[in-house]
């Protein structure tokens, strides 16, 4: 079965695709799997990790949403994966590597989304960035021993540097396509914006619905990246998507009703961080075999929390319990 997969990659995929047989390998050598390619093994390890399961209770935009239809970090991840795989397949690039990077790209996200990330960034010497934390999760905390290609794609899915592989570059841009459109959908559901509020120029070029906008952007991405050594969009689509993103920052992501509980989330993360710094023995189980500063280990512990676990820990440590007879 593995031989069939390797033959498929060699005969069907584009010469520009990352091939499993040519992987730069893992930091620790392992015996090869008889059934799966190296990138398939990466995908499976991420899917079965504890950090992946915790994404279902981590904020995307709306903190601990009660409605069943709001996205959380795990549904965002799955939507990125689906869009990215569609693009990779159309371009005859490596779908398995694309899926592995997609599923792993946000494993380092904190409770309460970017709010928690900003708090830890302000508290930790050297700062805190979720993409770098994703690498710590798969390399240190869960020790998944992933290939160099998957690690590069996860690390560079955001920021100024581009991933080396085209598969990683696909994830970088489809991450934006996914969150921009599902955040619009959730914000309309929440009544923060209305469908007619969206900039008319963006609607005219990209479409009026989530389906239309994603389809327009994916088609444009495929047409403009075919047989090229860089994943790219047309200038018109890229600039329009950027305009729509800026509009979302102005109307949803910053100082909107979606952010009304943000100051409480900041307080929870800050108080928990200070508590565990002063009570480091409470997380002694995380210290085994690690020689890093206490602040770094505490940040790992806080970053791994789900929204609800962080709230539960805060309630236990800072809110008095009722007296019971």
């Amino acid at each position: 079965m593995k031989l069939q997969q390797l033959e498929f990659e060699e005969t069907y995929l584009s010469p520009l695709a990352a091939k499993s047989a040519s992987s730069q390998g893992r930091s620790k050598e392992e015996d090869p799997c008889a059934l799966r390619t190296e990138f398939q093994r990466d995908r499976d390890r991420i899917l079965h990790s504890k950090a992946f399961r915790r994404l279902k209770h981590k904020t995307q935009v709306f903190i601990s949403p009660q409605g069943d239809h709001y996205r959380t970090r795990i549904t965002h991840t799955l939507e990125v994966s689906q869009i990215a795989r569609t693009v990779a397949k159309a371009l005859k690039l490596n779908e398995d590597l694309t899926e592995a990077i997609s599923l792993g790209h946000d494993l380092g996200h904190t409770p309460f989304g970017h709010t928690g990330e900003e708090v830890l960034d302000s508290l930790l010497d050297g700062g805190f960035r979720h993409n770098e934390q994703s690498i710590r999760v798969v390399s240190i905390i869960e020790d998944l021993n992933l290939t160099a290609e998957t690690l590069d794609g996860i690390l560079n899915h955001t920021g100024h540097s581009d991933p080396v592989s085209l598969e990683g570059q696909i994830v970088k841009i489809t991450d934006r396509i996914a969150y921009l459109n599902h955040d619009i959908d959730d914000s309309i559901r929440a009544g923060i914006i209305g469908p007619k509020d969206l900039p008319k120029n963006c609607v005219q070029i990209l479409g009026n619905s989530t389906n239309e906008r994603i389809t327009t952007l994916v088609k444009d991405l495929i047409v403009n990246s075919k047989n090229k050594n860089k994943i790219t969009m047309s200038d018109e689509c890229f600039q329009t998507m950027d305009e729509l993103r800026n509009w979302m920052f102005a109307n949803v992501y910053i100082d909107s009703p979606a952010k009304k509980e943000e100051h409480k989330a900041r307080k929870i993360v800050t108080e928990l961080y200070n508590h565990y710094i002063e009570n480091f023995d409470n997380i002694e189980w995380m210290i085994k075999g690690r020689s890093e500063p206490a602040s770094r280990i505490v940040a790992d512990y806080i970053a791994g929390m789900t929204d609800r676990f962080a709230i539960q820990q805060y309630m236990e440590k800072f809110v008095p319990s009722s007296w019971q007879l």
Side-chain angles (χ1 to χ4, degrees):
M1 183 173 175
K2 180 182 175 182
L3 286 176
Q4 289 176 342
Q5 290 289 334
L6 294 175
E7 287 175 7
F8 172 83
E9 290 188 0
E10 288 301 324
T11 57
Y12 180 76
L13 294 188
S14 161
L16 298 170
K19 311 286 175 52
S20 299
S22 304
S23 170
Q24 296 178 42
R26 309 175 190 278
S27 59
K28 290 177 282 191
E29 288 191 18
E30 297 180 12
D31 292 334
C33 175
L35 299 176
R36 298 166 298 164
T37 69
E38 295 308 308
F39 299 146
Q40 289 173 337
R41 295 175 85 186
D42 282 357
R43 175 202 60 199
D44 294 352
R45 289 177 188 190
I46 292 168
L47 189 65
H48 290 283
S49 69
K50 294 188 290 293
F52 184 80
R53 294 196 291 276
R54 291 197 301 269
L55 293 177
K56 68 179 177 180
H57 291 301
K58 293 198 175 195
T59 291
Q60 172 58 30
V61 170
F62 297 90
I63 293 175
S64 296
Q66 294 297 310
D68 291 337
H69 294 159
Y70 289 100
R71 272 76 169 187
T72 64
R73 192 59 61 175
I74 200 166
T75 48
H76 160 70
T77 296
L78 294 175
E79 290 184 31
V80 173
S81 176
Q82 184 272 318
I83 297 171
R85 287 173 56 203
T86 296
V87 176
K89 197 167 189 173
L91 296 175
K92 294 189 175 182
L93 297 176
N94 198 309
E95 197 175 341
D96 296 325
L97 175 59
T98 306
E99 186 175 19
I101 296 169
S102 301
L103 296 180
H105 81 284
D106 269 355
L107 291 180
H109 253 298
T110 63
F112 314 120
H114 289 289
T115 300
E117 180 176 14
E118 290 167 8
V119 173
L120 288 183
D121 187 48
S122 68
L123 294 171
L124 192 63
D125 288 341
F128 181 97
R129 285 161 287 278
H130 77 270
N131 56 321
E132 295 173 359
Q133 186 67 18
S134 295
I135 296 297
R136 286 184 63 81
V137 168
V138 299
S139 299
I140 298 173
I141 299 171
E142 298 214 28
D143 191 18
L144 302 184
N145 196 29
L146 303 180
T147 62
E149 291 81 3
T150 300
L151 292 174
D152 172 74
I154 291 174
L155 179 63
N156 294 306
H157 82 269
T158 186
H160 297 300
S161 299
D162 283 334
V164 173
S165 70
L166 295 180
E167 289 80 359
Q169 292 176 30
I170 288 174
V171 175
K172 184 165 190 167
I173 198 160
T174 54
D175 179 28
R176 182 173 295 193
I177 292 173
Y179 77 67
L180 189 56
N181 285 288
H182 64 51
D183 290 349
I184 289 173
D185 186 45
D186 280 352
S187 299
I188 291 173
R189 178 172 294 105
I192 295 172
I193 59 174
K196 294 182 179 178
D197 295 333
L198 297 176
K200 289 183 173 51
N201 176 55
C202 298
V203 170
Q204 186 176 10
I205 294 173
L206 301 180
N208 193 40
S209 68
T210 301
N211 180 20
E212 289 173 355
R213 286 189 295 272
I214 291 177
T215 300
T216 300
L217 291 166
V218 166
K219 284 183 176 177
D220 184 87
L221 193 60
I222 292 169
V223 167
N224 287 281
S225 303
K226 193 169 185 179
N227 298 324
K228 293 182 180 175
N229 59 5
K230 184 173 176 60
I231 301 300
T232 187
M233 280 182 174
S234 66
D235 288 343
E236 181 184 53
C237 267
F238 186 82
Q239 289 168 8
T240 306
M241 187 171 73
D242 217 34
E243 181 183 343
L244 190 56
R245 182 171 177 265
N246 291 336
W247 186 87
M248 283 293 287
F249 269 96
N251 292 276
V252 175
Y253 296 144
I254 299 174
D255 196 25
S256 80
K259 298 297 176 183
K260 67 178 183 180
E261 299 295 303
E262 194 173 272
H263 66 289
K264 297 177 185 175
R266 289 182 183 278
K267 181 177 177 60
I268 289 174
V269 175
T270 303
E271 296 288 350
L272 286 177
Y273 178 86
N274 291 333
H275 170 82
Y276 285 112
I277 288 290
E278 294 171 4
N279 300 275
F280 193 51
D281 56 339
N282 286 179
I283 54 173
E284 191 172 3
W285 56 273
M286 282 200 74
I287 306 171
K288 292 179 181 176
R290 297 175 62 178
S291 57
E292 295 169 295
S295 58
R296 181 63 262 186
I297 294 174
V298 169
D300 285 344
Y301 185 56
I302 302 286
M305 292 180 178
T306 60
D307 293 7
R308 65 180 187 177
F309 184 72
I311 292 170
Q312 176 194 340
Q313 290 297 298
Y314 181 85
M315 295 292 286
E316 287 180 5
K317 291 171 172 53
F318 299 106
V319 178
S321 302
S322 300
W323 176 260
Q324 297 182 9
L325 293 176

